[in-house]
Each structure stands twice: as structure tokens, then as C-alpha cells.
Amino acid sequence: MPRAGLDSAGVIERAARLLDEHGSDGLNLADLAESLGVRAPSLYKHVEGMPGLRRGILLRAKADLAQALGQAAIGRSREDAIVSVSHAYRDWARAHPGQYPMTVRAPADGDAEDASVSSRLASVVFEILSGYRLQDDDAVDATRFLRSALHGFIALETSDAFALPVDLDRSFDRVVASVVTALTNW
Amino acid sequence: MPRAGLDSAGVIERAARLLDEHGSDGLNLADLAESLGVRAPSLYKHVEGMPGLRRGILLRAKADLAQALGQAAIGRSREDAIVSVSHAYRDWARAHPGQYPMTVRAPADGDAEDASVSSRLASVVFEILSGYRLQDDDAVDATRFLRSALHGFIALETSDAFALPVDLDRSFDRVVASVVTALTNW
DNA sequence: CCATTTAGCTAAGTACGTTAGCTGAATGGC
DNA sequence: GCCATTCAGCTAACGTACTTAGCTAAATGG
């Protein structure tokens, strides 16, 4: 039997792809194994079962999203930054519909690595509000508002909850514009 | 063997309760059957398996939520209506954390009953914006903004994604206030 | 009181994740 | 280049959950 030459990162990467292609509840070890040219039990040499696999995808997804958002924020501030990051956020979510819901989950208790990457993700959003010079609770409330509007739109959009045939791009732009206005007058 | 005297509505109601108590992926037929004093296969006399059970819970949840929101809107308009309905929405979601995600899902293709109750739910939100006299696409965009902000906040809150120990009630009030302001200037 | 219907049952099948234990491919020291 | 060691991937088998088939007895109605 020739070896497949798998490693942990490769298994997780392929799983993340299948997750995006087949939806949040369409990921299973049999299909993943087949996609990698291997039998299901072999996956346990690289990943700690389904829970470990999901955790691996989650860490990778949060890190990847944080990177994308950080990229979009470079050299921008205030409205400019918010618009750019908002669109990067939506683009990432639409490109990764299976992984996206994982990026929203709070870090698991006692998982230091998850806590670390989660706070990195949160801080990107927090940072782009720094240009508005909000203090303490104001900053927290504003961050929550921004996250709520973005996540809400994206969650509804990716679950096809916006039924009407009216341009989604424009709707999103108006959401972002409304948020910017609200923050300006916060 | 004495009969348990179940019916479809009773099974679905109990399942909805278990769903709220044990979380979205903690619902299983074995526990449901035991909770009803019956063996798992007996459930199939009242419900078409797990898919049928979930559909039943979903229809019931959407109808119940629509009723709660309609109630909150009675005799109110504009800001008054939005604040009242927003709080009713959040209260319902927090009281039904397991069912809530179901209420967001678009109706299944070809499911007329689902389509009906879903549109009833959507129209409640749409109606409370009628006081703002928005036209066509403006009304659609505004509805999407309102839904995004509310759903986003609630989804993040119920998944513990708001980590910081800062008052959630106040944050929510400010989200609602921001939405009202945005709609006023839409 | 009997005929019919049907709620609930047991037994068995399927699908999936998982564990145990084996085997042969890769690897490193000599 | 050879051998000992490591370990990737395998088959077999188990547990759990949903589901189907087919039986039985409780309810119902004439």
C-alpha cells in the first residue's frame, strides 16, 4: 500500500473545502477520507476525531479571516477603514459559507489557542473604531453594533433569508453607510 | 401496555422544549421518546422522522415568534413600534435559544406551509416600517437593515460571542436607538 | 360484543464515528 | 547497504442514532 503522505494541515485544509462545498452539516469523515484517497480510520493519525477536526478548521478559519480583515484595514481609517473591512468581511463569508459560522463562535473554555486567535480577530474590528476616539463602554457598544450589523446581514444573506429580488450589494452598502453615520454621531 | 396518548402537536411541543434546553445539536429521538414515556420508533406514528420533527418545530417556532412580534406592535408606530418589537424579538430569542436559529431559515423549496408562516413573520417586520413611508427598494433596504441589526445582535449574544463584561441590555438599547435614527434619516 | 383501526412495541438494518490491533513503507544509525 | 525503529494506513469490530418491518393489544364504532 503506497502512502498518501498526509499531514494534519492537509487534512484540515481539505475538510475546510468540503465544509464550504457541502454546507455546515454535510461534513463527514467517510467523504473526507475518500477525497484524500484514504480510509476513514486513517484520519485519526492526523486529527483527533471529528471534534479535533472541527477545532482545526475553526482555528484556521478564524486566523484566515483575521488576516483578510487586517489586510483590508491597512493604511485606512474611519469611514474608509470600515467600508473596506466590511466588504472584506462579507467577501470572506461568501467565499467560505461553511467555515463562516465557526468564526462567530466564542472560544471554547480553556482553549488557549482558540482564545488567542479569537481575540486577534476581535481586535481587528476594535482597532478600526479607534479613529472614532470612543471611550470604554462607548467603544464596546459601538463594536457590538458594528459586529451585529455585519454579522446579521451576512448570516441572513448566506442562509438565503433575504427572499426578495432586490440587489443585495446595494442593501449591504446602505447597511455599512448607516453604521458609519451612526458611529460618527455616537 | 397502556397507551401514552400522544399526538403530533404534543410530540413537537416537547421536542421544542428539549431543543431549547439542550441546544441546537442536543436534540435526539431517544431522549425525546424517553421524555414522553415511549420508545423511539413509536414517534414515527406522529412525526415523519427527524426531518419531519424539525419541520414541525420550525413551523411552530416561526408562527409563535410572529405572534409575539405582532402582539408587541399592537397600537404602536414608528420608534415606539420598533423599540417594542425589537425587545419582543430579543426576549423571544433568549427564551427559545434552540428554536431561534430555525426562525431565520428561509422556507424550504416547495413547502407552502413554511412559505406562508415565513411571509407572515417577515411582514410583521415590514409592517412596522410602514410608518416611515418608505418606497419600494428603500423599504426593502430598510427592512434588511433592521433585520440584520436585530438578528446579528441576538445571534452573537446567544452564542456568547460578546465576551466583555459590559451590560448587554444597554448595548442592545443603543443598537435599537441607532437603527431608529438611521431609519428616520433614511 | 365483535370488527376494525392504530398506538406502541421488539427486532433488525443502515450509517457514521470511533477503537484495537496489524502490516508494511519510510527513516536513521551503523 | 542493512537492520531496527517508527508510524501511516489498513481491516475488523463496536457503540450510538435514525429508521423500517412487522406484531400485538388498546381503543373505537356499529
Side-chain angles (χ1 to χ4, degrees):
Chain A
M1 48 178 127
R3 293 209 176 177
L6 302 183
D7 61 359
S8 189
V11 170
I12 288 168
E13 183 184 342
R14 177 63 57 91
R17 219 182 69 196
L18 292 183
L19 184 61
D20 287 332
E21 288 169 358
H22 299 142
S24 281
D25 47 356
L27 179 66
N28 63 312
L29 296 183
D31 288 353
L32 173 60
E34 185 180 352
S35 158
L36 292 164
V38 133
R39 302 290 184 151
S42 307
L43 298 174
Y44 287 74
K45 297 287 171 168
H46 305 289
V47 141
E48 296 189 351
M50 186 61 104
L53 179 65
R54 300 202 91 96
R55 175 173 176 272
I57 300 173
L58 179 147
L59 293 178
R60 185 175 170 280
K62 284 184 178 178
D64 191 43
L65 175 57
Q67 198 276 332
L69 298 189
Q71 193 80 26
I74 290 175
R76 300 174 191 273
S77 68
R78 293 181 61 93
E79 172 165 0
D80 193 24
I82 291 178
V83 170
S84 174
V85 168
S86 295
H87 280 91
Y89 190 61
R90 178 171 178 239
D91 290 344
W92 194 94
R94 292 201 298 180
H96 305 288
Q99 296 179 68
Y100 173 69
M102 290 181 159
T103 65
V104 178
R105 295 251 296 281
D109 277 2
D111 188 331
E113 201 175 347
D114 192 355
S116 162
V117 70
S118 296
S119 81
R120 185 143 52 93
L121 182 51
S123 72
V124 176
V125 179
F126 202 79
E127 289 284 326
I128 62 172
L129 290 182
S130 65
Y132 289 88
R133 304 247 169 269
L134 301 169
Q135 304 286 322
D136 309 322
D137 288 2
D138 265 355
V140 172
D141 289 339
T143 305
R144 286 175 175 170
F145 177 52
L146 175 58
R147 290 182 66 197
S148 294
L150 295 181
H151 169 59
F153 189 94
I154 289 161
L156 292 171
E157 179 183 20
T158 57
S159 62
D160 298 317
F162 292 140
L164 301 177
V166 176
D167 190 22
L168 284 164
D169 292 347
R170 207 201 46 174
S171 293
F172 184 70
D173 286 341
R174 297 190 74 175
V175 166
V176 174
S178 299
V179 171
V180 168
T181 302
L183 293 175
T184 305
N185 306 319
W186 199 261
Chain B
M1 48 179 124
R3 292 207 175 179
L6 301 183
D7 62 357
S8 190
V11 170
I12 288 168
E13 182 184 343
R14 177 63 57 90
R17 219 182 70 195
L18 291 182
L19 184 61
D20 286 333
E21 288 169 359
H22 299 140
S24 282
D25 46 356
L27 179 66
N28 63 310
L29 296 183
D31 288 354
L32 173 58
E34 184 181 352
S35 156
L36 292 165
V38 133
R39 302 290 182 151
S42 306
L43 298 174
Y44 287 73
K45 297 286 169 164
H46 306 288
V47 142
E48 294 188 354
M50 185 62 103
L53 179 64
R54 299 201 91 96
R55 174 173 176 273
I57 300 173
L58 179 147
L59 293 178
R60 185 176 171 278
K62 283 182 177 177
D64 190 42
L65 175 57
Q67 198 276 333
L69 297 189
Q71 193 79 26
I74 290 175
R76 300 172 191 273
S77 69
R78 295 180 61 93
E79 172 165 0
D80 193 24
I82 291 178
V83 169
S84 174
V85 169
S86 295
H87 281 90
Y89 190 61
R90 179 171 177 238
D91 289 344
W92 194 94
R94 292 200 299 179
H96 305 288
Q99 296 179 68
Y100 174 69
M102 290 181 158
T103 66
V104 178
R105 296 250 294 280
D109 277 1
D111 187 332
E113 202 176 347
D114 192 356
S116 162
V117 69
S118 296
S119 82
R120 186 143 51 94
L121 183 51
S123 72
V124 176
V125 179
F126 202 80
E127 288 286 326
I128 62 171
L129 290 182
S130 65
Y132 289 88
R133 305 247 169 267
L134 301 168
Q135 304 285 323
D136 307 324
D137 288 3
D138 265 354
V140 172
D141 289 338
T143 305
R144 286 174 176 172
F145 177 52
L146 175 58
R147 289 181 67 197
S148 294
L150 294 181
H151 169 59
F153 189 94
I154 288 161
L156 292 171
E157 178 184 19
T158 57
S159 63
D160 298 319
F162 291 140
L164 301 179
V166 177
D167 191 23
L168 284 164
D169 292 347
R170 207 201 45 175
S171 292
F172 184 70
D173 286 341
R174 296 190 75 175
V175 166
V176 175
S178 298
V179 171
V180 167
T181 302
L183 293 175
T184 305
N185 306 317
W186 199 260

